[in-house]
Amino acid sequence: MIKLYKIKTGKTELDPVEIAKFAVQNGVELPTPADPMKMLVKQVSEAAREEMRVDRKTGRPYRAYHSLPIKQGQETLFFWVDIDDATRAQMLRSTNRRREQIVGDVVQLTFDLDHWAAANPDEEPIALETDFGPDVEWRKAADNDDDEAA
């Protein structure tokens, strides 16, 4: 439907609201509303993911809850643990999962940039620095500068 929208409208910057309206106008049926309990579970997970606290000593924000993948049969479910109650093993599992997500995002972004460079051979390729160590340290230092300025 996105491709058809692009062809029909000639637009290259794509507004999901406009595309959804276009899809409905072109015969796509609206999805069946989700199960209310599943919707609530999703909202609880989003709230857990988004809740931030501030460290009393450093004044820096930290995530209050961390997700833990739990394998139940063929299915992987996610439970949440309060960081203040988490064991080292729980934090290690959560951290490894988050790190794998970050690595996956960076790998996909390199594939995207490789494709863009191949599709645009007359343009300078976009270099992606994948050593984030300096960036992390700069951000942490900038946060300290902001705290001191406040």
Side-chain angles (χ1 to χ4, degrees):
M1 193 51 63
I2 295 171
K3 196 170 197 171
L4 181 60
Y5 175 84
K6 283 179 60 181
I7 291 167
K8 293 275 190 180
T9 66
K11 293 183 179 180
T12 57
E13 291 189 7
L14 308 173
D15 177 350
V17 173
E18 294 286 323
I19 296 169
K21 289 176 184 175
F22 175 84
V24 170
Q25 291 168 350
N26 285 278
V28 172
E29 290 186 32
L30 289 171
T32 304
D35 175 299
M37 181 56 85
K38 286 183 181 179
M39 290 174 62
L40 182 56
V41 168
K42 184 177 178 183
Q43 289 174 353
V44 168
S45 289
E46 288 171 1
R49 182 179 305 107
E50 293 171 7
E51 185 173 332
M52 302 293 283
R53 296 183 188 146
V54 176
D55 184 278
R56 288 185 197 137
K57 292 181 183 175
T58 66
R60 289 184 172 162
Y62 65 93
R63 292 186 192 277
Y65 300 99
H66 284 251
S67 66
L68 296 173
I70 307 289
K71 195 91 164 149
Q72 288 189 348
Q74 296 294 87
E75 196 174 9
T76 300
L77 304 175
F78 292 93
F79 289 77
W80 293 90
V81 62
D82 187 313
I83 193 170
D84 294 328
D85 300 327
T87 65
R88 186 179 193 286
Q90 289 171 324
M91 283 306 296
L92 188 58
R93 277 193 7 239
S94 178
T95 300
N96 286 340
R97 183 178 152 276
R98 297 249 323 262
R99 187 177 190 282
E100 285 301 316
Q101 288 174 328
I102 292 165
V103 169
D105 284 347
V106 172
V107 168
Q108 186 59 58
L109 183 53
T110 62
F111 292 161
D112 297 347
L113 291 175
D114 290 346
H115 172 80
W116 183 86
N120 296 277
D122 296 334
E123 296 280 347
E124 181 180 350
I126 298 170
L128 177 66
E129 178 55 55
T130 57
D131 177 2
F132 295 106
D135 300 81
V136 170
E137 293 306 315
W138 292 327
R139 287 265 179 103
K140 287 169 70 176
D143 286 346
N144 282 343
D145 292 344
D146 291 345
D147 292 344
E148 291 169 11

